[in-house]
Amino acid sequence: MRRIISAKVRNTSGVLNRISGVLTRRQFNIESISVGVTENLDVSRITIVVSVDSDFQMEQLIKQLNKQIDVIKVIDMSADSHLERELALIKVATTSTNRQEIMSMIEPFRASIIDVSGQSIIIQIAGSSEKIDALVDVLKVYGIQELARTGITGLLRSSIK
């Protein structure tokens, strides 16, 4: 089962290496990992998407991550209400005849063209992984030249009281 882990860590050199090392030693396959500074410049948030076989395995992983010296807090966001997004840049081969058609195909996905050259365009899309996968499937027929995805990042929703 797919799980999303959010770890707040000290923003110091080598933290990402130590966190990914824990996952490697435990033989977890990292589907995506993203890192960025938080509202506090001394703290970074690492969002990791992994596949686990059981809740027990997930609990063990969180315990191992929480033992790391630079880790402030680790949570499994999967069970709680949360928002997750991913960004993708897609370079697609174009001709003068199909450029307008591609523009109409990406519009329902709320994607945008951020660069145009003679033989290609670069499309930017942000959203769920499923939304990005769907756009990639649509654009395959035009010839995807390059694809870059950021990996998922996310936050827990605030509770309503």
Side-chain angles (χ1 to χ4, degrees):
M1 69 186 109
R2 177 180 175 261
R3 303 301 278 264
I4 302 172
I5 301 167
S6 178
K8 280 190 171 180
V9 298
R10 288 186 187 83
N11 188 7
T12 59
S13 176
V15 173
L16 180 60
N17 185 37
R18 288 188 286 279
I19 296 295
S20 63
V22 169
L23 293 159
T24 300
R25 284 190 299 278
R26 298 285 174 174
Q27 299 184 335
F28 286 96
N29 183 32
I30 301 171
E31 292 182 16
S32 77
I33 189 167
S34 65
V35 184
V37 70
T38 65
E39 67 282 359
N40 179 349
L41 297 178
D42 295 329
V43 176
S44 293
R45 180 184 310 275
I46 301 175
T47 306
I48 308 163
V49 179
V50 294
S51 290
V52 295
D53 295 328
S54 65
D55 289 337
F56 176 76
Q57 194 180 29
M58 187 66 194
E59 186 180 313
Q60 293 301 309
L61 175 59
I62 289 175
K63 284 180 180 176
Q64 289 297 316
L65 291 175
N66 273 319
K67 287 181 183 176
Q68 301 302 305
I69 193 161
D70 291 316
V71 171
I72 298 166
K73 185 177 183 181
V74 178
I75 58 170
D76 176 6
M77 295 177 27
S78 309
D80 297 317
S81 179
H82 68 277
L83 292 172
E84 60 182 77
R85 293 290 183 267
E86 184 176 4
L87 175 85
L89 301 176
I90 309 164
K91 184 186 285 186
V92 181
T94 61
T95 62
S96 58
T97 56
N98 72 1
R99 188 166 291 152
Q100 190 63 38
E101 181 182 329
I102 293 172
M103 289 172 66
S104 66
M105 298 299 282
I106 68 170
E107 189 178 333
F109 294 92
R110 297 184 194 165
S112 58
I113 295 173
I114 59 171
D115 187 61
V116 177
S117 70
Q119 290 114 13
S120 66
I121 59 174
I122 297 177
I123 298 166
Q124 171 184 289
I125 181 172
S128 68
S129 296
E130 294 79 16
K131 178 181 173 182
I132 293 170
D133 290 342
L135 179 60
V136 168
D137 285 343
V138 166
L139 294 173
K140 279 181 182 172
V141 296
Y142 299 102
I144 294 176
Q145 295 177 330
E146 291 184 69
L147 172 65
R149 297 175 76 147
T150 60
I152 291 173
T153 191
L155 289 174
L156 289 176
R157 289 180 179 263
S158 298
S159 59
I160 299 172
K161 292 184 179 182

